[in-house]
Amino acid sequence: MNGQNSLNGRERAVGADGEGILGCEGGRPWLCLPREAPGSLEGGRNGYRAPSPQGDEIEAKFKGIGGGGAISKGTAWRDRNVATPRDYYFALAHTVRDHLVGRWIRTQQYYYEKDPKRIYYLSLEFYMGRTLQNTMINLGLQNACDEAVYQLGLDMEELEEIEEDAGLGNGGLGRLAACFLDSMATLGLAAYGYGIRYEYGIFNQKIRDGWQVEEADDWLRHGNPWEKARPEYMLPVHFYGRVEHSASGAKWIDTQVVLALPYDTPVPGYMNNTVNTMRLWSARAPNDFNLRDFNVGDYIQAVLDRNLAENISRVLYPNDNFFEGKELRLKQEYFVVAATLQDIIRRFKASKFGSTDSVRTVFDSFPDQVAIQLNDTHPAMAIPELMRIFVDIEKLPWDKAWDITKRTFAYTNHTVLPEALERWPVDLVEKLLPRHLQIIYEINQRHLDHIASLFPNDVERLRRMSLIEEGDTKRINMAHLCIVGSHAVNGVAKIHSEIVKTQVFEDFAELEPEKFQNKTNGITPRRWLLLCNPGLAELIAEKIGEDYVRDLSQLTKLHKFVDDDLFIREVAKVKQENKVKFALYLEKEYKVKINPSSMFDVHVKRIHEYKRQLMNCLHIITMYNRIRRDPAKLFVPRTVIIGGKAAPGYHMAKMIIKLINAVAQVVNNDPVVGSKLKVIFLENYRVSLAEKVIPATDLSEQISTAGTEASGTGNMKFMLNGALTIGTMDGANVEMAEEAGEENLFIFGMRVEDVTELDRKGYNAQLYYDRLPELKQAVDQIKSGFFSPNDPNLFNDVVNMLFHHDRFKVFADYEAYVKCQEKVSELYLNSKAWTKMVIRNIAAAGKFSSDRTIKEYARDIWHVEPSDLKIPPPNEPRDAGQDKTPNGTAA
């Protein structure tokens, strides 16, 4: 390119700076994206753009865009005159994907040759969101793509909006897995994410007449350009059957087989040419499914029944922090585990190291080559499954197999709520996985023998620590299985890890204190700053350089600009632009007009009693009553935005959504209130909507009862994007206050000790109701039907819960919350003081990068060192003499 007017017969595109190239080759027009100057920061969207790898010429073949040519979208071909925006999205996605595959194959070849220790992150959820923009950023292609798309007269943001979210998660746990994949690739770890390719992800939420209505999320309807099916790695998974014991050991026979078909999605690191793999399994019936049974004469029915096997990967269970002991869910958990472990062992044996050793000792080095992280207890069946493979199939002695197993696994705990802990009925496990039940019993027997030897005659301790809970229905405590079968157990914030050690798993921590660790969660700054807030990212880069994107601790350098008047104005300006943009989005999508100069007070997360959206709702009603009582009094205008999904079977959460919408209906239509107070329920909150609302937020609501939110990660996203936090001393809020200084957050309410003390005394909601007139007024309005005149008793269940069985003590923190909100409004009046506090928060957010979290996992749990080595890009020769993988593909 470099300024020539034509190159290989390609005509130069008409454009102000002549950067894009549109031309003909073999009679078919195509597009060539320009080479980007290294370090270029300007971009089509007025924001931060990473440099492209030098000399990496981007040949984005939008096949046939231009004079009457054809455009390729997978196998569909379109004349340009009839090409839809979706066709252009697919053309762009395939173009960007072409830049991944060379790096992807090269990365996997590099791992094959160097044979590093592999990290396997096992999770039933990966909440990935959209892929296009993240890939362009991590590959340094965004400027080039923006320019090329502009040259074609297309709108990049419009194309990005066409992509469906990959909603294969419920909330924090699934999104954490996605952030971790980004960080592991960025840190050059040989890591793999393993999960399920759900055909239907988290449901789409519609609000009809104020109620949540669920719709199926058919996210694969138009195809997924980012995945590649790998039928050559298809594996069998067994269910049901029976166990036969003989002299040669146990045999699991007469099983039903389901095939696991892997789909691979590339995971690019940030600007390092590393591309890791997320492998998601899809269930397929074997071709002889139900046809082996000679008594099934109905061929048609047999083929239709294939659906029964394939239902395993049909749909994500939509529960957050709640255990639903359904057979299909247990099938999903074992399905991902069985397929993944076969794959891990195949890769281990195929590696140079694995294939040179003798058969007897081939697994001695397994824990040195393999680390498996269990994301909560959902993949816990991996522990008995690996034991089954070692003992029954590889014929290892039990003690050796157990030693290898323990050194391989590590377990992350994500919740202390008792209703969320997985406790599978023994009868169900016996029916579905008979051999695994026997193995779990054997693990438990040896475990209890060990406890009994240390604490003779302590029957109560044996009962507490057993993997099997006796009772009406015998159950397997999966958390206990994970603790016993792992060499490391971690919580996800300091306060949570402390609760795990001293309360939830106290007996286990007393036994093996060195096993318990903390790994405070983090978020990827690529998606949660560069991608969603390019204006702020650019502003920061101007002040401290671009390196902070890979080393977020460098944000502390912003402290020296806290008193810089120009910087203060620029930070406020970026926030205001983001607010205006979001207000326009709301107007377009939801037909609601909001005041962009009002404080945007945002509470977005799953709807759950412990997250206390109800307390926010009571505050809204209190503000409403204050305006009505004295309309002339100064009131700092607010737009309260609440969003999040309720599990379909969670009645109280659905009532909370209805209540918020009922209150919004009254508040938004009261002429006395006018534009002082607006309430918006944000429909269908998801990753791509978080990317829009978070950069526009002034006040972040993190108000769970102390001791209930394990960490939270939304709190970190808001902090990084220039919102201030109102919150309790819970989860990672504690460490945010530690990093920024408690005076730079709006902290209120009971601490963990206060909650414990209140539990000891007995929580009496009536006392607060009687003592606080504004609380009484708000509750009475809900109770009397003020917000539901057509059905005055509509919210009886909510009121009844608040008075008689509120585990999360909303009334106890109401007064402190309302007073703290008054301090928020007061500060908001002083724009400069507010923005200075914002800058202090951004400067303190560095700790909360998932890069830091993953470095801690790598060093303390997986025993691997992150690498800053940059694999050469595909257009540069690899080192001579390097071996290739057997087939040269990414396995």
Side-chain angles (χ1 to χ4, degrees):
M1 300 178 205
N2 300 338
Q4 294 129 292
N5 281 324
S6 72
L7 192 65
N8 294 344
R10 297 167 191 160
E11 294 293 323
R12 201 157 180 206
V14 181
D17 47 11
E19 280 285 311
I21 294 179
L22 182 62
C24 271
E25 198 170 45
R28 199 161 75 227
W30 64 283
L31 176 78
C32 180
L33 300 186
R35 182 189 282 117
E36 191 178 355
S40 148
L41 273 171
E42 66 283 348
R45 276 171 280 186
N46 174 37
Y48 179 81
R49 294 293 177 269
S52 282
Q54 241 180 321
D56 183 19
E57 188 169 290
I58 303 151
E59 299 196 325
K61 292 165 185 170
F62 275 77
K63 299 187 181 72
I65 299 181
I71 174 172
S72 78
K73 184 204 97 174
T75 55
W77 295 83
R78 298 279 187 279
D79 181 279
R80 184 167 189 187
N81 299 311
V82 294
T84 63
R86 176 166 276 106
D87 293 317
Y88 284 106
Y89 159 70
F90 273 98
L92 176 58
H94 285 118
T95 292
V96 172
R97 187 185 67 182
D98 287 345
H99 289 272
L100 276 170
V101 289
R103 291 171 172 87
W104 196 7
I105 289 169
R106 187 166 277 204
T107 300
Q108 302 308 316
Q109 286 175 342
Y110 179 82
Y111 293 158
Y112 177 77
E113 286 146 14
K114 294 283 186 264
D115 199 21
K117 183 171 186 176
R118 262 65 164 206
I119 313 304
Y120 296 103
Y121 197 82
L122 264 63
S123 181
L124 268 283
E125 304 184 20
F126 287 95
Y127 203 172
M128 303 295 285
R130 292 173 177 158
T131 297
L132 174 61
Q133 196 183 351
N134 185 248
T135 304
M136 293 191 297
I137 286 170
N138 280 12
L139 261 45
L141 302 182
Q142 199 163 13
N143 271 339
C145 290
D146 277 351
E147 177 61 32
V149 165
Y150 171 77
Q151 290 288 346
L152 288 160
L154 299 167
D155 180 340
M156 178 62 98
E157 284 194 33
E158 194 185 306
L159 295 186
E160 287 167 350
E161 282 298 310
I162 289 166
E163 182 175 359
E164 299 272 358
D165 279 48
L168 307 185
N170 277 286
L173 174 148
R175 184 52 236 175
L176 185 80
C179 283
F180 279 5
L181 292 183
D182 181 271
S183 286
M184 290 188 288
T186 297
L187 293 170
L189 297 176
Y192 303 75
Y194 272 95
I196 295 177
R197 180 183 179 266
Y198 299 107
E199 207 174 305
Y200 296 91
I202 186 64
F203 61 86
N204 283 316
Q205 178 194 56
K206 290 278 189 286
I207 301 297
R208 299 208 209 289
D209 189 28
W211 296 97
Q212 167 176 296
V213 176
E214 300 88 20
E215 287 184 357
D217 167 42
D218 192 8
W219 73 290
L220 293 168
R221 183 174 51 239
H222 301 285
N224 174 8
W226 306 107
E227 67 181 9
K228 174 81 184 79
R230 306 301 300 277
E232 67 274 27
Y233 291 109
M234 190 144 62
L235 293 165
V237 175
H238 298 261
F239 294 102
Y240 304 108
R242 58 192 179 85
V243 184
E244 213 172 56
H245 290 273
S246 67
S248 62
K251 259 201 159 117
W252 184 19
I253 58 170
D254 297 341
T255 57
Q256 291 181 22
V257 176
V258 176
L259 299 176
L261 171 64
Y263 283 79
D264 288 357
T265 299
V267 179
Y270 179 69
M271 299 295 292
N272 64 350
N273 297 325
T274 293
V275 181
N276 285 342
T277 301
M278 174 176 68
R279 177 162 285 179
L280 302 181
W281 301 100
S282 182
R284 290 287 183 274
N287 286 330
D288 63 355
F289 185 80
N290 269 12
L291 291 165
R292 290 159 301 190
D293 311 333
F294 56 88
N295 59 334
V296 177
D298 192 343
Y299 161 75
I300 297 292
Q301 195 53 47
V303 173
L304 298 184
D305 285 347
R306 294 169 62 85
N307 279 325
L308 300 175
E310 297 175 356
N311 279 338
I312 290 174
S313 56
R314 194 78 69 204
V315 61
L316 168 74
Y317 272 83
N319 303 315
D320 190 71
N321 275 296
F322 183 77
F323 169 60
E324 190 176 354
K326 294 282 197 292
E327 181 172 352
L328 180 62
R329 172 65 173 191
L330 182 56
K331 276 185 174 171
Q332 289 182 339
E333 293 183 354
Y334 179 66
F335 174 75
V336 66
V337 150
T340 300
L341 283 176
Q342 289 180 73
D343 218 33
I344 289 172
I345 287 166
R346 172 192 60 74
R347 197 176 284 116
F348 170 76
K349 286 181 169 178
S351 75
K352 292 177 176 176
F353 189 93
S355 59
T356 56
D357 219 330
S358 72
V359 177
R360 260 187 73 73
T361 59
V362 73
F363 289 104
D364 288 15
S365 66
F366 195 77
D368 305 318
Q369 291 297 105
V370 172
I372 304 175
Q373 191 69 37
L374 303 174
N375 195 25
D376 214 322
T377 58
H378 311 148
M381 290 305 295
I383 293 168
E385 173 66 4
L386 189 60
M387 284 299 287
R388 185 185 72 82
I389 293 167
F390 283 161
V391 173
D392 293 359
I393 298 170
E394 302 292 344
K395 302 299 183 192
L396 267 61
W398 180 280
D399 288 336
K400 183 170 193 174
W402 184 241
D403 175 63
I404 294 171
T405 297
K406 272 183 75 160
R407 286 165 54 211
T408 300
F409 285 111
Y411 157 58
T412 301
N413 173 274
H414 279 278
T415 182
V416 298
L417 297 182
E419 65 268 31
L421 296 175
E422 292 198 296
R423 295 153 63 248
W424 286 106
V426 163
D427 292 347
L428 177 59
V429 177
E430 185 171 33
K431 177 175 82 155
L432 196 70
L433 303 167
R435 179 59 181 142
H436 297 76
L437 182 65
Q438 294 177 351
I439 290 167
I440 289 167
Y441 274 151
E442 180 69 20
I443 292 168
N444 195 39
Q445 188 58 57
R446 290 164 183 252
H447 162 61
L448 292 180
D449 289 348
H450 177 57
I451 306 300
S453 71
L454 296 171
F455 303 93
N457 306 319
D458 193 341
V459 182
E460 187 52 31
R461 183 183 297 264
L462 291 178
R463 188 194 61 73
R464 290 196 309 266
M465 295 185 76
S466 176
L467 308 193
I468 310 295
E469 297 177 356
E470 306 289 343
D472 295 344
T473 48
K474 279 175 89 170
R475 292 174 177 274
I476 304 168
N477 185 314
M478 302 307 273
H480 289 183
L481 173 61
C482 285
I483 294 167
V484 170
S486 298
H487 70 276
V489 176
N490 73 280
V492 289
K494 275 184 195 167
I495 183 176
H496 169 236
S497 298
E498 209 44 48
I499 291 169
V500 161
K501 260 199 305 210
T502 59
Q503 294 172 40
V504 192
F505 303 126
E506 185 186 2
D507 293 314
F508 293 91
E510 188 188 330
L511 195 67
E512 302 179 280
E514 70 293 338
K515 186 182 272 194
F516 289 79
Q517 306 186 16
N518 172 245
K519 295 288 169 278
T520 300
N521 284 163
I523 58 171
T524 170
R526 272 71 64 180
R527 184 174 296 267
W528 298 114
L529 184 58
L530 264 65
L531 183 154
C532 70
N533 203 342
L536 182 59
E538 164 69 4
L539 194 52
I540 294 168
E542 282 171 12
K543 289 291 177 200
I544 66 170
E546 296 159 35
D547 290 351
Y548 77 90
V549 179
R550 311 182 65 145
D551 175 13
L552 208 63
S553 66
Q554 292 188 27
L555 288 178
T556 53
K557 295 176 185 172
L558 290 175
H559 278 300
K560 58 176 175 284
F561 301 105
V562 168
D563 297 310
D564 179 327
D565 282 347
L566 177 61
F567 187 62
I568 292 167
R569 280 200 303 276
E570 286 176 322
V571 169
K573 180 168 169 274
V574 167
K575 177 63 71 178
Q576 197 51 39
E577 285 166 358
N578 291 339
K579 287 173 71 174
V580 168
K581 186 173 180 183
F582 188 65
L584 288 170
Y585 171 81
L586 283 185
E587 208 176 318
K588 182 170 145 282
E589 293 295 315
Y590 301 94
K591 310 289 177 270
V592 283
K593 248 186 139 55
I594 57 171
N595 170 12
S597 61
S598 64
M599 183 202 305
F600 284 14
D601 171 349
V602 179
H603 198 178
V604 286
K605 49 185 76 244
R606 285 297 291 256
I607 310 293
H608 201 299
E609 287 160 88
Y610 87 85
K611 295 176 186 280
R612 297 203 293 191
Q613 284 92 356
L614 272 175
M615 192 162 69
N616 191 342
C617 202
L618 289 173
H619 176 242
I620 294 168
I621 297 170
T622 302
M623 287 190 290
Y624 171 70
N625 289 333
R626 286 178 178 184
I627 294 168
R628 296 264 307 187
R629 202 176 308 130
D630 190 354
K633 192 178 173 190
L634 172 77
F635 184 86
V636 181
R638 284 202 192 209
T639 301
V640 184
I641 299 170
I642 303 178
K645 293 173 183 178
Y650 189 173
H651 169 70
M652 189 56 65
K654 289 185 141 180
M655 290 308 303
I656 291 167
I657 291 174
K658 176 61 177 173
L659 177 61
I660 293 162
N661 282 303
V663 171
Q665 188 66 29
V666 170
V667 171
N668 296 348
N669 293 295
D670 191 324
V672 177
V673 175
S675 61
K676 287 180 181 166
L677 181 61
K678 285 278 178 266
V679 182
I680 309 281
F681 188 87
L682 209 50
E683 185 178 82
N684 203 32
Y685 182 63
R686 59 199 185 281
V687 174
S688 59
L689 191 48
E691 290 162 7
K692 295 179 176 72
V693 70
I694 291 171
T697 298
D698 293 308
L699 183 69
S700 157
E701 300 264 358
Q702 309 295 335
I703 60 177
S704 53
T705 311
T708 61
E709 188 73 89
S711 165
T713 45
N715 46 5
M716 303 167 187
K717 292 161 195 170
F718 284 108
M719 183 187 199
L720 184 59
N721 281 277
L724 297 184
T725 301
I726 183 165
T728 50
M729 277 298 204
D730 197 20
N733 297 355
V734 177
E735 288 159 80
M736 285 162 55
E738 202 177 291
E739 294 294 302
E742 204 174 316
E743 69 281 4
N744 292 304
L745 280 78
F746 297 98
I747 298 290
F748 72 93
M750 296 179 290
R751 311 298 208 250
V752 168
E753 311 78 63
D754 305 318
V755 175
T756 307
E757 177 59 19
L758 188 51
D759 277 327
R760 196 188 60 75
K761 287 194 321 204
Y763 168 63
N764 182 352
Q766 187 74 38
L767 297 177
Y768 302 93
Y769 173 84
D770 293 338
R771 185 169 61 79
L772 303 167
E774 287 190 304
L775 173 62
K776 181 179 191 302
Q777 184 186 5
V779 173
D780 287 350
Q781 285 168 313
I782 297 170
K783 196 162 49 172
S784 68
F786 181 84
F787 298 106
S788 55
N790 297 332
D791 185 356
N793 298 319
L794 182 60
F795 299 115
N796 281 2
D797 286 356
V798 176
V799 174
N800 186 43
M801 179 274 290
L802 285 170
F803 277 106
H804 304 298
H805 43 96
D806 177 10
R807 297 160 56 203
F808 305 106
K809 306 173 179 63
V810 169
F811 289 3
D813 271 340
Y814 166 85
E815 186 179 20
Y817 179 55
V818 172
K819 284 190 172 137
C820 193
Q821 287 281 17
E822 289 165 14
K823 283 165 56 187
V824 173
S825 289
E826 192 185 331
L827 187 67
Y828 193 74
L829 285 173
N830 183 344
S831 173
K832 186 172 179 180
W834 178 280
T835 307
K836 286 173 78 161
M837 197 181 276
V838 162
I839 294 165
R840 287 187 203 107
N841 271 268
I842 297 170
K847 173 180 180 176
F848 304 107
S849 169
S850 46
D851 298 347
R852 186 266 320 151
T853 310
I854 289 298
K855 281 178 186 164
E856 292 181 7
Y857 276 95
R859 290 175 185 156
D860 304 341
I861 296 177
W862 305 330
H863 306 303
V864 292
E865 273 300 317
S867 147
D868 51 10
L869 179 115
K870 200 166 168 181
I871 296 169
N875 60 333
E876 287 175 21
R878 296 162 75 232
D879 297 344
Q882 287 186 327
D883 299 334
K884 288 194 168 42
T885 53
N887 57 3
T889 62

